Amino acid sequence: MAINWLFALKVVPWADVVQAAPAIVKGARKLFDTARASRPIAGREESYRGQGGDDVHARLRQIEIALQKRDAEQDAGAELIRSLAEQHARVVAAIELMRARMRVLFGISIGLTVVLIAITVWLVTR
């Protein structure tokens, strides 16, 4: 199971993911702002009493309440997307940092291996 994850992590083009992360965050913020800006103006009530009495007015009020609930759900969804995009950007940055550290540690281990082999050869030929 761990081998599959390691293979998956190696296959991912991390440079492309890191480059795309700011655009993803920007897009999520734009979606969040658009969702907030597109909500209808609340409190605007027109009287429809002349076209059917209280039934039409009550039905209109129910529709307005339903729309307000949908707007709240849309705002919550947009906020969630924005939050996930920001978390994604932080995860990608952390992974890129770990990859850089891994390369440094790999270089150090190769260097120490070369030094160890050189010392072993020197001790054997001495």
Side-chain angles (χ1 to χ4, degrees):
M1 185 67 124
I3 294 172
N4 293 338
W5 280 103
L6 291 175
F7 179 74
L9 289 175
K10 287 181 182 179
V11 172
V12 173
W14 289 107
D16 295 341
V17 173
V18 169
Q19 288 176 352
I24 292 170
V25 171
K26 184 177 179 181
R29 285 186 182 147
K30 186 176 180 180
L31 174 66
F32 180 70
D33 293 340
T34 303
R36 274 195 185 254
S38 68
R39 58 167 44 148
I41 300 172
R44 186 170 34 147
E45 294 185 24
E46 298 178 7
S47 177
Y48 291 101
R49 293 186 195 276
Q51 296 182 0
D54 292 332
D55 293 338
V56 174
H57 184 66
R59 179 70 180 138
L60 179 63
R61 187 67 192 141
Q62 289 175 348
I63 292 171
E64 287 175 349
I65 291 170
L67 282 174
Q68 288 174 354
K69 287 180 183 178
R70 294 269 164 83
D71 286 341
E73 290 172 2
Q74 184 180 10
D75 287 346
E79 175 67 26
L80 176 64
I81 290 171
R82 184 189 64 76
S83 173
L84 289 173
E86 288 176 356
Q87 289 176 7
H88 177 264
R90 287 193 297 262
V91 167
V92 167
I95 288 174
E96 190 60 32
L97 179 65
M98 288 189 304
R99 286 186 70 220
R101 287 179 180 173
M102 185 182 71
R103 286 182 181 161
V104 169
L105 290 174
F106 183 73
I108 290 171
S109 65
I110 293 294
L112 289 174
T113 302
V114 169
V115 168
L116 180 63
I117 290 172
I119 290 173
T120 304
V121 168
W122 180 73
L123 288 174
V124 169
T125 60
R126 196 178 140 186

